[in-house]
Every structure is written in C-alpha cells, then in structure tokens.
Amino acid sequence: DSGVTQTPKHLITATGQRVTLRCSPRSGDLSVYWYQQSLDQGLQFLIQYYNGEERAKGNILERFSAQQFPDLHSELNLSSLELGDSALYFCASSVRAGEATGELFFGEGSRLTVL
Amino acid sequence: AQSVTQLGSHVSVSEGALVLLRCNYSSSVPPYLFWYVQYPNQGLQLLLKYTSAATLVKGINGFEAEFKKSETSFHLTKPSAHMSDAAEYFCAVSFSGFQKLVFGTGTRLLVSP
C-alpha cells in the first residue's frame, strides 16, 4: 500500500461527458502528480501541484484541468470526453516536508472508459 | 531535454535465467535515475534509484542496476528470474531539485517455467 488513494477505481462514461478523478496523497506529501497511461502513448506526465500551486505542466489537453486543495488532495477534471481519453490515470505524491528523494508514490489508478 | 529509451517492449526469460532490461538516458545535467515496476492492475512501485552516490544500486526483490555515465545507461539486472518477477518495468529520469519523472515506454518481462 503506497498510501496514495484514488477514486473511483473504474469509470465508464460516454463521449462528450465530464468526469472528476480524485486523489489523496500520502500523509505529509506536498506534491501531487497526474499521469495518463494508455497503450499507444505509454505513461505521460500531465501536471504537478506543490502545496496548492501548479508547479509543472506536461502533455495535458486544454479539456483537462486539475487543482490541489488546501487539505492537499487533488482532483483531475476531464471534459468533452473523447474515445481517445480512455486510459488509466495515475496520481502520485512525493516530498514530505524536508525530504526530496525524487521518489514518487503511486496510487492504483482510475481506469476511465469512454464509450 | 531529458528522456529515457528502453530497448525491447517485451523480454522473455526462463525461470532461473538472468534478467537484463535495458535503459539509456539523455540528460544535459546529472540525472536521477529510477526503475519502477508495475504488476497487473496495480500502480507503479519503486524498485531502485540512482542519486549520484554509488554507481551500482541495489533494489528490492534482488534487482540491481549500474549507472554508466560513459554509456549513458542504467540497465536493470537480476541474476535469477522468478515467476513473480513477471511485470512491466519502467525506467525514469529526473534531475536535482525537480521531482517530475520522465518515463520510458516500459518493458514487459515474461517469465516461463
């Protein structure tokens, strides 16, 4: 158990819809990362938040947005969904206060299926 | 820009045989290098990491990797494969002070009896 919790584990929805994925990081971790894993694209970095502020942006579509709340949990919002958005979305956390090891702790992922 | 290249999307070995998974990196500054493992229906788990200390790094489950700057490589090895090693393995790179990891495309390890 990594200590990172993601909900929901599975989600099936239709094209054009909007979904929200939620992530609770390990206790004390200040950074949250979102990654998308698909068969054709591999593991792609989407976005990082550190202590509530956006720190880095990767290959995140404009239809996607994220935020980190004061309690450090994060949400990834996916809108106007397309078939190609079907993927496994991982949240990871790192950096307890005073610790910067470069190691990420991953949740088990949220599997999104767009029909 | 930083990147990692994993040679071979699939590697098949027999139980008890040597495991060698290849990773080459590209980085303009001294890198931090990682190997993660993903078992079916699970998230990624850290196997080992190189952070500029010893060049030979030992990880969990008997895996180790050697950082070779001259070859820009960080290959993962295990002397004797076990059936439970069947999983997907990802090499990743980051650099000091910045936690974002860039992952390779992954190598699926298949272990046959």
Side-chain angles (χ1 to χ4, degrees):
Chain A
D1 182 3
S2 67
V4 178
T5 303
Q6 289 187 247
T7 57
K9 290 194 185 315
H10 301 275
L11 190 55
I12 300 174
T13 189
T15 55
Q17 294 298 304
R18 171 190 170 96
V19 298
T20 298
L21 310 180
R22 182 188 168 102
C23 170
S24 294
R26 289 190 318 161
S27 176
D29 280 359
L30 301 176
S31 260
V32 169
Y33 306 74
W34 287 98
Y35 282 84
Q36 179 194 58
Q37 186 179 37
S38 61
L39 286 176
D40 55 344
Q41 298 285 333
L43 200 58
Q44 297 285 320
F45 168 70
L46 295 179
I47 198 164
Q48 177 203 359
Y49 281 83
Y50 177 82
N51 204 19
E53 294 189 1
E54 183 183 305
R55 176 63 74 93
K57 222 169 189 176
N59 301 323
I60 188 166
L61 299 171
E62 285 191 9
R63 300 183 285 108
F64 296 0
S65 64
Q67 60 184 127
Q68 186 179 28
F69 294 87
D71 66 352
L72 300 178
H73 92 271
S74 177
E75 293 181 356
L76 179 67
N77 300 296
L78 316 174
S79 62
S80 302
L81 286 168
E82 302 175 358
L83 296 178
D85 298 327
S86 296
L88 193 51
Y89 291 85
F90 283 109
C91 171
S93 74
S94 74
V95 190
R96 287 194 171 123
E99 190 179 308
T101 65
E103 177 180 356
L104 299 188
F105 294 86
F106 282 80
E108 294 190 353
S110 292
R111 183 169 295 282
L112 173 65
T113 302
V114 182
L115 300 176
Chain B
Q2 298 174 316
S3 65
V4 287
T5 302
Q6 291 184 242
L7 295 176
S9 58
H10 292 80
V11 169
S12 295
V13 299
S14 299
E15 194 171 19
L18 171 72
V19 175
L20 171 60
L21 305 183
R22 298 178 185 275
C23 172
N24 288 88
Y25 70 91
S26 171
S27 175
S28 57
V29 296
Y32 288 176
L33 292 160
F34 305 82
W35 277 100
Y36 280 80
V37 60
Q38 184 181 24
Y39 297 103
N41 300 314
Q42 294 188 26
L44 280 74
Q45 177 186 1
L46 182 69
L47 266 183
L48 50 80
K49 63 183 178 185
Y50 166 76
T51 55
S52 78
T55 57
L56 182 62
V57 180
K58 294 187 185 298
I60 62 172
N61 301 337
F63 284 93
E64 62 182 36
E66 186 172 7
F67 173 70
K68 292 187 177 180
K69 186 177 179 180
S70 61
E71 299 177 8
T72 62
S73 69
F74 191 57
H75 301 330
L76 181 71
T77 60
K78 182 174 180 178
S80 176
H82 192 272
M83 296 295 290
S84 61
D85 295 327
E88 186 142 21
Y89 293 80
F90 292 90
C91 183
V93 64
S94 73
F95 59 89
S96 177
F98 189 51
Q99 300 283 107
K100 187 188 86 171
L101 292 183
V102 175
F103 285 89
T105 51
T107 298
R108 185 168 297 278
L109 177 65
L110 307 168
V111 183
S112 56

